[in-house]
Amino acid sequence: MTELHQLYPSIATLPAQLRDEVLTHHATPMDVPAHTSLFEAHQPCQGFPLLLSGEVRVARGAPGGRQLELYRVVPGEICVASTASLFGHAPLAAHGHTTCDTRMLVLSPTGFERWLADATFRQFALGVFAERLTDLMALAEAVAFQRLDQRLAAALLGHGSTLHHTHQALADELGTVREIITRLLRRFERAGWLRLGREQIEVLEPAALRRVAAGESTE
């Protein structure tokens, strides 16, 4: 379990007996293929995932089929939806699926509660929870007050010169519909800021996109 301890140092500091007993009796290793549903909203949380590789996308859905991405979980991080559900003994508030082949160790609710009794692990879990909450508040602010073209421009930045994203994937990430994303992307393309291809977007003028993301005039 060296890999687990490297990714989650707080686990290495647990009392050896507590750590090993939970890993032996209350943890299940899983290899999950890409695009597999891990949990659904309004369902009880069945376990606490600790990612060793891969990525999990967590989102909220609306009755019309629209989705809003809340965050992504990568190795070394924890899932806020799972944490909140287990903390409050409440149904999950979001759904999650793997974006690529993912390896993880899933603690049972009992195992999670036992580790949570340790002050160091509890501090780790609450610390990451607080960071995620700050991110979610920023997301709520962006959805409420920021124009969609600003949010799209921001989503296109920070991934290198070429993004291998479909228009639908961007729509899901931003909580809107594909047609609106396509319209905005074509507007950005006409301005010379990017070039659209099949399931890829080539960023040509990142400085212009940064100005749009910041709400500055591009005239």
Side-chain angles (χ1 to χ4, degrees):
M1 284 297 172
T2 302
E3 185 178 15
L4 180 68
H5 296 169
Q6 290 175 342
L7 290 168
Y8 299 91
S10 60
I11 293 176
T13 65
L14 285 164
Q17 183 176 351
L18 173 62
R19 181 187 65 234
D20 296 343
E21 186 174 340
V22 167
L23 289 175
T24 301
H25 301 291
H26 299 284
T28 304
M30 296 179 63
D31 289 291
V32 186
H35 311 301
T36 299
S37 174
L38 289 177
F39 54 85
E40 294 292 336
H42 313 301
Q43 298 296 317
C45 183
Q46 301 296 325
F48 183 75
L50 296 166
L51 268 65
L52 302 176
S53 67
E55 181 183 67
V56 174
R57 177 179 182 268
V58 180
R60 286 288 298 265
R66 290 172 57 185
Q67 296 187 24
L68 176 63
E69 180 176 313
L70 301 178
Y71 57 88
R72 298 196 179 204
V73 186
V74 297
E77 297 181 350
I78 65 173
C79 174
V80 170
S82 302
T83 306
S85 178
L86 293 172
F87 272 157
H89 303 282
L92 288 154
H95 62 266
H97 70 261
T98 56
T99 63
C100 56
D101 292 346
T102 300
R103 289 190 304 119
M104 65 180 70
L105 192 70
V106 180
L107 298 183
S108 70
T110 299
F112 176 72
E113 288 185 6
R114 293 196 60 186
W115 276 4
L116 204 61
D118 177 81
T120 301
F121 185 80
R122 183 169 62 250
Q123 184 177 12
F124 160 72
L126 291 174
V128 178
F129 189 89
E131 291 176 6
R132 284 294 193 190
L133 182 60
T134 300
D135 293 342
L136 290 175
M137 290 175 67
L139 174 62
E141 181 180 3
V143 170
F145 302 116
Q146 200 175 38
R147 290 176 3 188
L148 186 58
D149 59 348
Q150 290 178 254
R151 294 170 54 213
L152 176 59
L156 295 172
L157 295 168
H159 305 284
S161 60
T162 303
L163 288 80
H164 297 282
H165 279 35
T166 65
H167 296 191
Q168 184 62 59
L170 285 168
D172 290 344
E173 179 177 341
L174 297 175
T176 186
V177 294
R178 180 182 55 80
E179 291 78 8
I180 295 177
I181 292 299
T182 297
R183 191 179 309 135
L184 287 171
L185 287 172
R186 287 175 178 165
R187 193 184 88 192
F188 290 173
E189 185 178 42
R190 288 195 299 272
W193 302 340
L194 51 81
R195 182 181 297 115
L196 300 176
R198 183 175 178 82
E199 295 191 2
Q200 74 174 33
I201 301 166
E202 184 180 356
V203 176
L204 303 177
E205 295 289 344
L209 292 177
R210 280 193 289 271
R211 289 196 295 273
V212 173
E216 300 174 6
S217 173
T218 56
E219 298 298 332

